[in-house]
Amino acid sequence: MSQIFSRRSGTWVKLTLLGALGFGAGLVAIGRLLTDEPHDQDEAVEQPVPFSHKHHVGDIGLDCRYCHSGVETRAVAELPPVSTCMTCHSQLFTDQAMFAPLVRSWQTGTALHWQRVHALPQFVYFDHSIHIAKGVGCVTCHGRMDQMPLTYRKASLSMAWCLDCHRSPEKNLRPRDQVYSMTWKPEGDDDALGHELLIQYGIDKRRLSDCSVCHR
Amino acid sequence: MTRIYGYMAQFDRPESLLQAARALRNLGYTRLEAHTPYPVEGLAEVLGIPPSRIPRVMFAGGLLAALGTLAIQYYSAVFNYPINVGGRPDASWPAFIPAALEMALLGASLCGVVAMLRGSGLPRLHHPVFDIEGFDRATRDAHFLVVLSDDPRCDEDSIVTELRALNPLRVGRVPA
Amino acid sequence: MRELAGDTSADRREFLKLLGASFALAGASGCSGPPAQEIVPWIRRPPGVAGSDPQFYASTLRCGGDVLGVRVETHEGRPTKIEGNPLHPASLGATNPMAQAAVLDLWDPGRSQGILRKGAAASWDDFLAEVNGIPADAGGLHVLSGRVDSPTLAAQRQRLLGRYPGSHWYEYESIDNTNSLEGARLAFGAPLGVRYRMDRADVIVSLEADFLGSMPGHVRYARDFAASRQPEAAGRVERRLYVLEATPSLTGVKADHRWAMASSDIGRFAQRLANNETPLIRELQAKRGRSLILVGPTQPPFVHALAHVLNERLGNAGQTVEYFEWPEGGSESLQTLVTNIEAGQVKTLLILDGNPVYTAPADLRFGERLGKVPVTIHLGLYRDETARVSTWHLPAAHALETWSDVRGYDGSASIVQPVIAPLYGGHSAHEVIAALLGPDEPNGLDLLERTWPNLSDQALRRGFIEGSAPAAREVRVNLSSIAVPEKAEGLELLFRPDATVWDGRHATNAWLQELPKPITQLTWGNAVIVSPDLAAQHKLRNGDHVHIMSGSNQIEAPIWIVPGQARSSVTVTLGYGRSVEGTQAMGQGFNANRLRMSTERWVTRSVRLTPTGNHSELASTQQHHVMEDVRTPQKLHRSFYAEHPKGEYRWGMAIDLNSCIGCNACTIACQAENNIPVVGADQVLHGREMHWLRVDQYWEGTRVRHQPVACQHCDHAPCELVCPVGATVHDSEGLNLQVYNRCIGTRFCSNNCPYKVRRFNFLQYSDLKTESLEAQRNPEVTVRNRGVMEKCTYCIQRIEKAHITADREGRRIQDGEVVTACQEVCPTRAIVFGDTSDPDSTVSRAKKSERNYALLEDLNTRPQTTYLKEVPNPNPLMKDDV
Amino acid sequence: MSAADIVGSLALERRMGRGWAIAFAVAVALTVLLGVGIIVLLDRGVGIWGIDVPVAWAFAIADYVWWIAMGMAGTFISAALYLTRQGWRTALNRYAEAMTVFAVSVSGLFPILHLGRPWFFYWLAPYPNRMALWPQWRSSLLWDFFAISAYLLVSILYFYLGLLPDLAALRDRATTRGTQLFYGLLALGWRAEARQWDRFQTLSAMLAGLAVPLVFSVHSMVALDFSEGLLPGWHSTIFPPFFVAGALFSGFAMALVLAIALRSYFGLGSVITGRHLDNLAKVLLATGLFVAYSYVCEVFFAFYSSDQHEIRLTLNRFQGSYAWTYWVTAFCNVGSIQLLWFPRMRANVVVLLTVSILVVFGMWMERFMLIVTSLYRDFLPSSWGMFYPTRWDFVFLFGSIGLFFALFLLFLRYLPMVSMFELRKSSHSEHRRP
């Protein structure tokens, strides 16, 4: 009887199996891609007007609440009406090309369609006002907006990410007057202050990881 | 001159193969291998094949799987994300057993199979013995005894005659 | 109570331009990843519109023959939910099923969306041209409307009759109170309105008067009735309710004594009562001034007259019953219109928001007579039966899209305020009349201010005009002899309004179609209601078809057997057998109007009933209506498990079965609040209805025990234990959660739920395609898709809202700050909800009652929802049959 | 030519004949039907079945339990008989193991397809995910998920391991290059070495030792899928042994059906002898009696517990809307097997075939009865309802049968249906006897 398989056949078999494995992994990756968010983390989002937080917050030093007026009282921080932009831009840079959509919108009364940067699925209910009230800074989730020429998403917004803070909020609590600060850093041992604030704000940690807090 | 894997002798019945093997062992041969269509009682002892470690491996595998499963359950349900389910305690030991049991059985079996393949040098698609003329009958009615060439006692000139002395059907050399 | 913002509809109309984009992409689902979402901010934010927060507007709705003051919740300008207006005398914060469903009518894509002339599209200007062509003096202009209960419309009527000499205005309601007015005319010589004071009545004798279910004012009456019968109430007197009726009504099945009696025999009973020939009279006399005899609109005038006599004799007049002038009278009847049409006088007929072709009695043959009118103009929400035979059809504006006013059961006037600009370019009756009256006739708010010169912003916010109710009138009965008809043999056929679709005007509403009708628990259709005896006599099972012959007319229809139905009475409900293309009404049930005579609109004597041998399954949500032999020991076993750490609050509910009247308002309120989809008749037949809250009913003799059952939020929840992915778990405040996005749909939880309150999306039930329905949904509640389990959440979105507000302000949630949808809608306040860890909360106090018990307590599930036992108060001297 | 060679050539020459072709065609047709069913199911949802509230489980779960039960017997036969050194095992274990593997694979489809959102079935597995969530370990469904996965893998390994020497044998007898490669790869280069034989036998013994408890535990898990619930008729401690007995019962019945079919169609009378059938029949009777005993226990416990709900349910099973399922079950599973007391009946192939087919059918009916009668009337009369199957329910039942036989027929065609080396061994040892 002669050999059915050459000496090297073993290697071939191993390679084939490896290939199959790779193929499977590839399929999974594709599936993952299909169910991914429209905009990636850290990827600047195309907008009708190239609005720069860096300029408005960093350079001019506008307060977040000047535009996002809902943030302290409502679930959504809200985008300002065009009229708010017009308080300055009825005079400033109106001739520049990149402002054309804004001016057109103001004149014709047709709405601007901004792309949502922080999109949550419909079964997740996030409320800005409570986070602000309990001393969670803007930076904590949105990152250094004062350094963002074009706005992008700093956080993954995955459930694991939310839970990370909901399980130990003390890491991210700050005094109420520092909530909107882009640069505030707790001096010394941060957890100490965190625990202090936890009590001061009366945060009930027991329910922070309940499903009902975010899902209805 | 081509390298040699060993020298084979073919027998018609397992009994005669068994006798031949015993004889060779008495002659001081240590590196013997036999190929038979079905297991032959006592052959392993005669050829001096060390007893298998499979049972120990399986026990270890089973134990590991069981403990691992219990650990995952306990960690996830008590430390990582304790959730009130129907008012039951976080560490519901009785409820953790079934999964652990099943995983133990699975773990043991998987380890066993791996150990068996490793222990019997499988998978190996290409092997010198396949070059033996008429080896295909080894899975039907032929019984082969092979003296490996790396046997210290094995000697190019004497081995063939010694094999002949065991009156096999055939004697031949197996190139590596 | 949250403030009612009052502002004009102009700003909201402005806003509507943006509506489309803002939710164009909502509701996308499946595994293909979320789509890019857009944010569409304002150009200028209109005054009074507070961004994302819901806003509430006071308005008024006509529904189910009643007039209810409501509070409309809007999200970003979209009306999503209707609650009762606590300030309004007729609702006191409660509502009924029709009011709850009104918001779905508003968004119904099946609504008529364009003006039609002879079926072809036309414009409002075309219409104006048409009406300007009407000669002012020829007297050919005739208007047919529903009951004129709007002072403004009445005023416009006067102006119209003035502007067009010789023109006529007719009124027709399929379900009206003509009998009651005629009864008053018999007794007092004047057609007076009647209103009752349930809170003052200790002994009530109802002669077929369904004051808890269908009579005008029933929401208010139910509240007073229940409140007065609270067993725990301080200084409580024994209250008792006697009901005589042919077919079980909500009032009847709640009575302490209910006597099933042929409708046409009740008159003679009233006479015997008047002649002191029944033992009942003694109890009434004992309660002089605190008793009440009331008669349903389905009884002939003389019975009403007899009741007036009795009430006066018992000193109830002015105490438990009041009489008042109805200001908006003065229209002519449908019969007159028909004679005028026959006489060829009617050149132009304007039909305001009615559907006479369908609702008119068969003998008037209104449909074909309409053909004799050269120009007919129909104003309506749908292209209904009348619209299709009219020359002109104008889409009507929904009540939530119009300015108007309306008088309630007690004669008080309330404001109808628009909360959104007309979605489909509809016009209100006022606007149409204004068009006829010419350019100087005002519209909208101006028109109202013409009727109510000093209409304050306050009144708008309050939603009604204080002191507008006509004062009670001192009246004396002067009654000559009354002719009481002889006892008739054979079967009588009764016509009744349908519990959910009324006279058919709500038949296009999917929520109401799928809402189980009390007593029968039927959905998506009507049936011929017969007594068990009659069924046995003809060997009929539920769903078997019968022919009903009345004179020359005959219909075939399925039967439904109802205990407590009078043996010689057969009942059909109106409102079905509609044919309105593209709506839910299509092909459901049979049209009972085909047997209805203008002379006998409530009862037809000596009808014949013959089985046809056909059968069809009727979609009822409850198959078994008796408790069988299920008697389980009510004992609680000790738990093996340590208590889990408790949160700051502990939510719980108590349902008082003594107050519950089984009106099903809670079921539909829950549906509206929680985006619960409708599944359709065939799915209901499969037992797949989605209502989170169902009202079980069990027959006891001729009475029904109601029991609203939703998720009991068990501490030791059997459902949670068996879920392999932890999609249903407990939170630290004692809620049994259902996490839709984690659910994979094993359905073990449903199997293991002893209360069977879990509902599963067997198919894709939520309509994600229709944009307008998307707009109606509550943005605070996740829309569930195919393959996931759902159930009552104690309105967790409302709990969370309160939580966030309170936490933000660093305080505890007040008792009564969280109100569940079912609790808010309940006319009798049977449902209380709150924090059971606070011993002083309303719910804790309710649970302290010795009537308190948990459903299936012996299963040791430890529910957070408990029930307060019903304690009827039967007269020891009475038996249940006359 | 030895019996082993006959078996071998059956696999190699593949002259299966017209009967096989027809059977295979039918099986494939049914499999395609199943495929269509699955597509429609994924497109429209489980609502295409007759399930509702209260009866949220019905056909699919009955099918699942039925199949997994049949998957118990194969491993049990070869393992238990191996441990007890039953010589007659040789003729049965190979095709019985194949039956196991295919039955379990088919049964595995149902729990997944039965989900409202099948594409998320993997959430039952503990793995690191961006939701930071874990399975809920207290649910018997989860235990079952682990049980099925473990059992499927182990039974495949067990089956494949036993095949190794025969695959090598086929490799060595193969004439065409293609078959050589096919069997050669599968044989992993088996050389029939003494060392290999030694390891092979040790592992076989060990696996056999594990397989028996595995079989018992796996079907106990299946039983717990029901008895963890608090429904009357489900919430019962005797379910695990009861289910195991039922599993072996239906398994042996199926094994008997197949044995008779193979024997008569392939003329393997010399291999699968009357003695084998007789032994199988005895085991069938024994397990059947155990099942009958559990039926009695159920009724007894119901009344002994004096639990209102249990008693009402039991009476309802006797007289209720689904009483007929109960009595059909009783007739098939208890009545029919009484014939097997008589040697003459056990010797009669037609009787054996009829009885075992009745049992296979009866065991499906039993699962349906257990599931539906407990669900359609539970605690509150207001929520009682009925279950009516739709055509899709039957599509999945018969489709799965088709899939099973398609796989089994392929096995017959490409693999030795009886263990060749064991045949050789036993024939050799028989020669030795005087």
Side-chain angles (χ1 to χ4, degrees), chain A residues 104-116:
Chain A
R104 203 179 312 113
S105 157
W106 179 249
Q107 285 160 350
T108 62
T110 53
L112 280 175
H113 289 225
W114 298 90
Q115 293 300 314
R116 192 177 277 285

Side-chain angles (χ1 to χ4, degrees), chain A:
Chain A
M1 169 192 177
S2 61
Q3 297 283 357
I4 299 174
F5 299 94
S6 73
R7 289 185 185 281
R8 244 170 279 86
S9 54
T11 337
W12 289 121
V13 174
K14 292 197 185 82
L15 286 177
T16 343
L17 293 175
L18 220 66
L21 208 69
F23 183 71
L27 285 185
V28 173
I30 290 167
R32 198 74 199 69
L33 223 64
L34 281 178
T35 60
D36 216 352
E37 293 85 358
H39 305 303
D40 289 342
Q41 200 170 343
D42 305 325
E43 163 207 291
V45 180
E46 187 66 31
Q47 298 288 9
V49 177
F51 178 85
S52 162
H53 278 94
K54 180 176 187 302
H55 174 66
H56 290 85
V57 183
D59 309 349
I60 303 176
L62 284 182
D63 187 288
C64 309
R65 288 159 288 187
Y66 182 76
C67 299
H68 303 294
S69 52
V71 76
E72 280 178 318
T73 53
R74 299 186 191 122
V76 291
E78 284 169 8
L79 254 57
V82 177
S83 52
T84 309
C85 315
M86 279 302 151
T87 46
C88 302
H89 289 289
S90 48
Q91 275 75 26
L92 300 173
F93 318 116
T94 43
D95 48 355
Q96 293 191 16
M98 62 176 183
F99 283 91
L102 186 68
V103 178
R104 203 179 312 113
S105 157
W106 179 249
Q107 285 160 350
T108 62
T110 53
L112 280 175
H113 289 225
W114 298 90
Q115 293 300 314
R116 192 177 277 285
V117 178
H118 296 81
L120 289 172
Q122 60 137 343
F123 49 75
V124 178
Y125 290 85
F126 176 84
D127 188 298
H128 273 94
S129 65
I130 190 66
H131 288 83
I132 297 294
K134 298 300 180 187
V136 180
C138 307
V139 184
T140 312
C141 307
H142 294 290
R144 294 295 298 272
M145 296 306 287
D146 61 334
Q147 298 173 354
M148 284 189 200
L150 291 176
T151 313
Y152 57 86
R153 177 161 56 88
K154 195 91 199 70
S156 74
L157 295 189
S158 73
M159 178 171 167
W161 176 82
C162 299
L163 272 172
D164 183 40
C165 177
H166 270 227
R167 280 172 178 156
S168 43
E170 56 276 357
K171 287 184 300 188
N172 296 313
L173 296 185
R174 35 174 83 192
R176 286 220 171 80
D177 53 5
Q178 294 301 334
V179 166
Y180 300 97
S181 155
M182 288 284 138
T183 53
W184 181 84
K185 287 263 171 298
E187 55 281 331
D189 173 9
D190 51 347
D191 263 20
L193 175 62
H195 287 292
E196 197 176 297
L197 292 169
L198 205 59
I199 296 147
Q200 185 189 326
Y201 295 149
I203 295 173
D204 179 7
K205 262 178 89 168
R206 283 169 303 186
R207 78 181 285 270
L208 275 189
S209 57
D210 286 346
C211 313
S212 48
V213 173
C214 311
H215 301 298
R216 301 169 190 172

Side-chain angles (χ1 to χ4, degrees), chain D residues 274-430:
Chain D
R275 172 155 162 275
H276 290 106
L277 300 187
D278 186 68
N279 285 348
L280 279 176
K282 285 177 186 159
V283 184
L284 190 64
L285 179 60
T287 47
L289 290 174
F290 195 99
V291 170
Y293 169 74
S294 355
Y295 290 166
V296 177
C297 279
E298 269 204 310
V299 178
F300 171 76
F301 286 151
F303 286 94
Y304 189 71
S305 72
S306 77
D307 176 321
Q308 293 277 350
H309 301 299
E310 286 285 349
I311 293 171
R312 193 162 42 79
L313 172 98
T314 312
L315 294 175
N316 192 277
R317 276 183 180 167
F318 294 158
Q319 310 149 354
S321 318
Y322 291 100
W324 61 276
T325 60
Y326 189 87
W327 297 116
V328 169
T329 305
F331 167 74
C332 295
N333 300 353
V334 182
S336 68
I337 58 164
Q338 302 310 321
L339 286 175
L340 303 180
W341 288 106
F342 309 103
R344 279 179 54 258
M345 291 297 164
R346 292 203 300 272
N348 180 333
V349 175
V350 182
V351 172
L352 285 183
L353 191 63
T354 330
V355 169
S356 35
I357 288 176
L358 274 178
V359 170
V360 170
F361 168 74
M363 284 311 288
W364 187 90
M365 193 52 87
E366 180 209 78
R367 274 52 173 263
F368 178 81
M369 183 269 294
L370 285 178
I371 294 168
V372 172
T373 52
S374 290
L375 285 173
Y376 90 114
R377 288 190 164 202
D378 61 347
F379 298 95
L380 295 178
S382 63
S383 53
W384 291 351
M386 293 290 288
F387 167 78
Y388 303 104
T390 66
R391 79 171 84 88
W392 293 108
D393 285 301
F394 291 100
V395 164
F396 277 77
L397 172 56
F398 292 110
S400 62
I401 295 175
L403 177 57
F404 171 81
F405 277 104
L407 292 169
F408 192 79
L409 289 165
L410 285 175
F411 154 76
L412 292 182
R413 177 162 182 171
Y414 291 106
L415 295 172
M417 62 192 78
V418 181
S419 169
M420 290 157 68
F421 78 91
E422 290 191 32
L423 279 177
R424 289 214 167 78
K425 189 153 183 287
S426 48
S427 60
H428 170 76
S429 41
E430 270 152 27

